[in-house]
């Protein structure tokens, strides 16, 4: 806010965006992107970066050998920096921006020779949400890419754009060989609203996936998919009922929070949730207490447990806002 309101700073950012040092152009673009709708005056300069040849995307000995961490792509490529900044500006809701033009320019980078540029283009289009929906098929074409990171980002992007025709393609990725891709596909499904509901059966199969992160994603996604997702409360509860040593705490934690969001069907397992009020783990005890509180407050409205109703907002049941695939209106974060 203070940076966006400062004319001298804005002038220096504009100068840096067109400067001779590629690293400064990248840094300026990243800063401008975080200014959101206050950065409209810089859009043309950012669009110019999409054709900027500056790139340090090639691996070097230090990063390959673990001698230093690898910087994000937007810090090493002008195309990536401009691309992501434009996505963030559109996501901020800039009403006067020609989004169709911006999205068209960003979508062009889906054909770039370097995979990291294609990945960031996916991320930017996903940020733009439904306003970039016409490019969903181009993003979905990357589902066949051999790089798992690119397939995963393409899934997230399609969920962000929410084109119903892509729901089935994303659901196919629930069986991908890469855990990262299966997780991304699971978290993307709520973005398709009713079309995503058609694939809850496949999603529920991930509750017993070999990967912990995939099981967590499946639990959290079912919790935010409304009444259809609540039908799988018993399957979620099974993760809590698993014998000691057969399930990890991160999945149990997600299951406790999920049951707390599953209204009457979650309340059917309140006795199981209550057992975790005395668990040795403080995180699990806290999650159980929160879940019991939510279920009891839901219960008064339903006549089940006897306290007051909790509203989760107008998007209740689907964990998305336009352009952003999220974990739901009620956060799963600690």
């Amino acid at each position: 806010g203070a940076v966006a309101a400062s004319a001298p700073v804005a002038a220096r950012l504009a100068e840096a965006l067109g400067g001779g040092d590629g690293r400064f152009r990248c840094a300026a673009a990243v800063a401008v992107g975080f200014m959101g709708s206050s950065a409209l005056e810089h859009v043309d300069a950012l669009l110019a970066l999409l054709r900027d040849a500056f790139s340090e995307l090639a691996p070097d000995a230090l990063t390959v050998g673990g001698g230093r961490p690898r910087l994000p792509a937007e810090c090493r490529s002008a195309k990536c920096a401009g691309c992501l900044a434009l996505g963030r500006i559109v996501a901020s809701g800039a009403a006067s921006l020609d989004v169709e033009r911006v999205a068209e320019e960003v979508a062009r980078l889906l054909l770039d020779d370097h995979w990291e540029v294609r990945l960031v283009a996916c991320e930017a289009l996903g940020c733009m949400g439904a306003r970039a929906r016409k490019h969903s098929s181009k993003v979905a074409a990357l589902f066949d890419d051999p790089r798992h990171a690119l397939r995963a980002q393409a899934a997230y992007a399609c969920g962000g754009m929410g084109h119903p025709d892509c729901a089935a393609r994303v659901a196919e990725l629930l069986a991908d060989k890469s855990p990262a891709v299966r997780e991304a596909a699971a978290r993307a499904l709520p973005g398709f609203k009713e079309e995503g509901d058609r694939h809850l059966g496949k999603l529920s199969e991930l509750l017993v996936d070999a990967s912990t992160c995939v099981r967590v994603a499946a639990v959290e996604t079912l919790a935010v998919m409304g009444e259809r997702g609540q039908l799988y409360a018993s399957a979620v509860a099974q993760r809590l009922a698993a014998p000691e040593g057969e399930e990890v705490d991160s999945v149990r934690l997600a299951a406790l929070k999920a049951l707390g969001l599953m209204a009457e069907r979650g309340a059917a397992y309140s006795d199981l949730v209550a057992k975790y009020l005395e668990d040795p783990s403080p995180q699990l005890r806290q999650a159980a207490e929160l879940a019991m509180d939510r279920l009891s407050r839901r219960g008064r409205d339903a006549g089940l447990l006897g306290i007051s109703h909790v509203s989760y907002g107008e998007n209740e049941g689907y964990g998305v806002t336009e352009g952003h695939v999220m974990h739901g209106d009620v956060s799963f974060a600690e």
Side-chain angles (χ1 to χ4, degrees):
V3 172
S6 170
V9 170
R12 291 193 63 181
L13 284 174
E15 181 182 349
L17 284 171
D21 190 322
R23 296 181 183 88
F24 276 100
R25 295 199 296 276
C26 290
V30 171
V32 166
F34 283 114
M35 290 166 59
S37 58
S38 300
L40 290 179
E41 64 183 286
H42 302 294
V43 166
D44 287 338
L46 293 173
L47 287 169
L49 289 183
L50 302 186
R51 291 175 167 78
D52 193 309
F54 173 76
S55 174
E56 292 182 335
L57 293 177
D60 59 61
L62 280 176
T63 55
V64 171
R68 68 180 180 192
R70 192 174 188 178
L71 293 173
E74 60 268 26
C75 297
R76 296 179 285 117
S77 163
K79 289 180 181 178
C80 292
C83 194
L84 193 55
L86 288 166
R88 287 169 174 161
I89 291 172
V90 173
S92 71
S96 60
L97 183 61
D98 185 354
V99 176
E100 185 171 350
R101 173 194 172 209
V102 170
E104 194 72 43
E105 288 294 311
V106 170
R108 186 180 57 81
L109 296 183
L110 294 172
L111 300 175
D112 194 88
D113 291 336
H114 200 283
W115 71 272
E116 285 190 272
V117 176
R118 300 197 299 275
L119 184 147
V120 175
C122 282
E123 183 177 358
L125 289 169
C127 286
M128 296 179 193
R131 301 170 82 179
R133 187 172 286 181
K134 64 180 288 187
H135 301 290
S136 295
S137 60
K138 300 174 187 176
V139 173
L142 298 175
F143 290 167
D144 298 321
D145 194 279
R147 293 182 179 272
H148 69 85
L150 192 47
R151 297 198 304 277
Q153 189 60 64
Y156 279 123
C158 283
M161 291 183 284
H163 197 302
D165 291 348
C166 291
R169 293 288 312 278
V170 169
E172 291 175 4
L173 296 180
L174 294 172
D176 193 273
K177 62 184 179 181
S178 166
V181 178
R182 296 197 299 276
E183 178 186 3
R187 296 195 184 281
L189 278 183
F192 301 106
K193 302 294 177 72
E194 290 80 6
E195 285 298 317
D197 287 351
R198 300 176 185 272
H199 307 286
L200 287 179
K202 288 183 180 179
L203 175 64
S204 68
E205 294 174 6
L206 298 185
L207 291 171
V208 292
D209 193 272
S211 168
T212 298
C213 67
V214 175
R215 296 199 301 279
V216 170
V219 168
E220 294 183 349
T221 301
L222 287 169
V224 297
M225 293 192 75
E227 293 183 1
R228 294 289 296 275
Q230 291 167 15
L231 295 175
Y232 295 88
S234 62
V236 171
Q238 287 178 22
R239 307 324 307 157
L240 288 181
E244 187 71 28
E246 293 187 14
E247 189 53 276
V248 298
D249 280 359
S250 60
V251 177
R252 294 180 193 272
L253 184 66
L256 285 168
K257 294 178 180 180
L259 289 173
L261 301 177
M262 288 182 159
E264 291 82 0
R265 294 184 184 275
Y269 300 95
S270 57
D271 289 345
L272 179 59
V273 173
K275 291 181 180 180
Y276 281 84
L277 293 172
E278 299 179 0
D279 193 88
S281 166
Q283 290 85 3
L284 293 178
R285 292 199 304 271
Q286 182 182 24
E289 184 177 351
L290 179 60
M292 290 298 292
D293 179 60
R294 285 177 177 156
L295 290 173
S296 63
R297 283 191 275 166
R298 284 279 191 181
R300 173 176 280 177
D301 233 32
L304 291 178
L305 299 174
I307 312 183
S308 76
H309 178 71
V310 178
S311 172
Y312 294 104
E314 63 181 1
N315 290 325
E316 179 178 6
Y318 291 101
V320 295
T321 57
E322 183 178 309
H324 302 275
V325 179
M326 303 165 63
H327 296 332
D329 292 328
V330 178
S331 173
F332 280 86
E334 286 299 312

